[in-house]
Amino acid sequence: MIQTPYYLIDKQKLRRNMEKIAYVREKSGVKALLALKCFATWSVFDFMRPYMDGTTSSSLYEVRLGRERFGGETHAYSVAYADHEIAEVIGHSDKIIFNSIGQLERFEAQSASIARGLRLNPQVSSSTFDLADPARPFSRLGEWDAAKVEAVIDRISGFMIHNNCENGDFELFDRMLGQIEERFGALLSRVEWVSLGGGIHFTGENYPIDEFCARLKAFSDRFGVQVYLEPGEASITKSTTLEVTVLDTLFNGKNLAIVDSSIEAHMLDLLIYRESAKVAPNEGAHSVLVCGKSCLAGDIFGEFRFPEALKVGDRISFQDAAGYTMVKKNWFNGVKMPAIAIRELDGSVRVVRDFDFADFEQCLS
Ligand SMILES: *Cc1c(COP(=O)(O)O)cnc(C)c1O
């Protein structure tokens, strides 16, 4: 048995998402780039590569990882580049998307050798959470003034628009795309490519994938553009678990179980968005508050149901532990960082990375 804690990536589950992405590419003509900020566990990139066109990034290190470990088309984007990194970014990318006209102008000479794009902020989004809403008031994410953008359009060949966020509602996607067409149509018809970003949950169950493909194709035909999608969460959703072991149990008015992991260190995104972890099937007569082992009082994965009372040594699998999870793990409290394991298509499991004291020590000085 592999020692917990560890993240377990299941290739069979990952393949379900990959096949849907390949279907959308085939049917609609879009290209699909993995958003590395969501998932950058490169041990499965060989497996994912045949189903996707490449990667997109948010920084120099991500664009380099995409080029070196994934290959294919490599898009560079960042909220802001520094002077000292721009040459290396351009060396690793096929396209660079600037967040502002200011950055486009600043790096105009250096970026002349590759395709350039600009991020548009359509000022509509599907997000209900301020923290993750690119269209929030005073947002720094992209240009929104069509007149200003028009003045620099001869310097770019495309746009990136990322305004969906965990959007599993096709009607909403369709409606917002309609607003974008209306507002920026004149600009869209003057470029060669448009990336519609990530945040569209088209690999989810019951998503109307054929309607989605038709909508993308219509958009592409109307403006004469190559459409890109940048799926992060949709690429890896439901492919991975975090495997943990119960270290102690207590009763203080509720049944508590403490596990060899920490929500702050190993599933930080849930803490930030105040969501509970998921346990399947979450059924049975015994309700237990499952807690992490850090000293943060609110280090709680959630309250779940189990068929039996939990006892020391029991194992728990937290579901859906791929997106915004492994990329955010940290050494808070010195909690043992989860290893990374892969379940192959034949069912065998191998550990591809383990972390030890040296890794903890070397992340500071
Ligand atoms: C975050 C982000 C993505 C990926 O978003 P998901 O919700 O994980 O699909 C894609 N493109 C851009 C520009 C992003 O900021």
Side-chain angles (χ1 to χ4, degrees):
M1 245 197 345
I2 299 166
Q3 196 177 324
T4 58
Y6 63 96
Y7 298 103
L8 177 60
I9 305 172
D10 188 323
K11 279 191 179 170
Q12 213 161 335
K13 294 179 184 166
L14 183 58
R15 189 167 62 181
R16 291 193 305 228
N17 298 329
M18 291 296 109
E19 283 171 349
K20 285 184 188 171
I21 290 174
Y23 179 83
V24 169
R25 289 164 73 210
E26 168 87 30
K27 191 119 195 223
S28 69
V30 305
K31 293 186 178 184
L33 306 176
L34 175 65
L36 293 173
K37 83 160 191 278
C38 172
F39 182 81
T41 309
W42 44 266
S43 290
V44 288
F45 284 1
D46 287 344
F47 183 70
M48 298 169 82
R49 190 178 299 116
Y51 301 95
M52 301 187 77
D53 295 282
T55 58
T56 188
S57 55
S58 0
S59 62
L60 167 59
Y61 289 170
E62 279 189 358
V63 76
R64 178 172 168 185
L65 188 82
R67 175 66 99 199
E68 292 181 357
R69 291 288 183 178
F70 200 109
E73 271 191 64
T74 309
H75 284 201
Y77 165 75
S78 177
V79 171
Y81 291 110
D83 290 346
H84 61 81
E85 56 186 12
I86 195 73
E88 201 181 338
V89 168
I90 287 163
H92 291 301
S93 58
D94 306 299
K95 284 192 178 69
I96 185 163
I97 297 154
F98 291 108
N99 184 63
S100 69
I101 293 171
Q103 286 254 309
L104 170 66
E105 287 177 336
R106 182 184 187 99
F107 300 119
E108 192 178 343
Q110 282 126 301
S111 60
S113 58
I114 59 170
R116 283 189 296 231
L118 189 62
R119 179 168 183 170
L120 285 183
N121 187 329
Q123 298 182 302
V124 286
S125 100
S126 69
S127 181
T128 50
F129 212 113
D130 206 32
L131 186 63
D133 182 1
R136 62 188 272 149
F138 315 110
S139 174
R140 72 195 183 299
L141 303 172
E143 297 283 355
W144 52 268
D145 185 334
K148 281 195 199 161
V149 173
E150 167 143 43
V152 296
I153 202 156
D154 54 330
R155 300 177 216 175
I156 57 176
S157 59
F159 291 113
M160 186 267 277
I161 302 166
H162 171 73
N163 68 323
N164 285 278
C165 182
E166 301 204 357
N167 185 5
D169 177 351
F170 171 73
E171 309 297 328
L172 177 58
F173 166 77
D174 176 32
R175 205 159 57 238
M176 290 195 305
L177 192 57
Q179 290 169 321
I180 290 168
E181 290 176 311
E182 203 165 298
R183 180 144 172 216
F184 295 105
L187 293 173
L188 299 178
S189 52
R190 292 178 61 186
V191 293
E192 292 158 27
W193 54 272
V194 175
S195 174
L196 296 176
I200 310 162
H201 273 216
F202 64 93
T203 57
E205 266 165 62
N206 303 322
Y207 194 86
I209 205 160
D210 288 319
E211 282 174 68
F212 179 57
C213 290
R215 185 66 179 91
L216 294 170
K217 177 120 193 1
F219 178 88
S220 163
D221 290 345
R222 176 169 173 194
F223 299 105
V225 290
Q226 171 65 54
V227 174
Y228 287 86
L229 296 175
E230 303 175 353
E233 185 62 43
S235 305
I236 46 67
T237 190
K238 296 192 173 154
S239 66
T240 300
T241 53
L242 173 61
E243 303 290 321
V244 303
T245 300
V246 176
L247 299 179
D248 196 11
T249 59
L250 292 82
F251 182 82
N252 65 356
K254 278 190 179 185
N255 285 304
L256 310 186
I258 297 170
V259 297
D260 56 355
S261 178
S262 155
I263 194 162
E264 178 161 22
H266 306 155
M267 296 190 96
L268 180 60
D269 216 45
L270 295 179
L271 192 65
I272 293 174
Y273 292 98
R274 303 188 170 271
E275 288 173 16
S276 169
K278 282 177 244 158
V279 160
N282 197 16
E283 285 167 10
H286 297 266
S287 178
V288 183
L289 196 64
V290 178
C291 308
K293 64 173 283 179
S294 83
C295 55
L296 178 75
D299 190 349
I300 297 168
F301 286 92
E303 191 163 6
F304 309 107
R305 303 203 75 86
F306 298 93
E308 309 284 340
L310 286 182
K311 55 186 190 314
V312 171
D314 283 351
R315 292 211 172 193
I316 301 173
S317 294
F318 294 118
Q319 304 295 304
D320 222 357
Y324 301 97
T325 301
M326 281 179 260
V327 290
K328 290 193 174 193
K329 63 190 168 48
N330 62 69
W331 282 109
F332 182 57
N333 265 234
V335 179
K336 171 84 167 69
M337 190 168 273
I340 300 171
I342 297 175
R343 178 175 282 132
E344 299 292 341
L345 293 174
D346 67 7
S348 63
V349 176
R350 70 192 164 96
V351 175
V352 292
R353 180 76 162 96
D354 202 358
F355 301 91
D356 59 16
F357 174 74
D359 296 301
F360 169 59
E361 185 185 32
Q362 282 156 28
C363 79
L364 288 173
S365 72

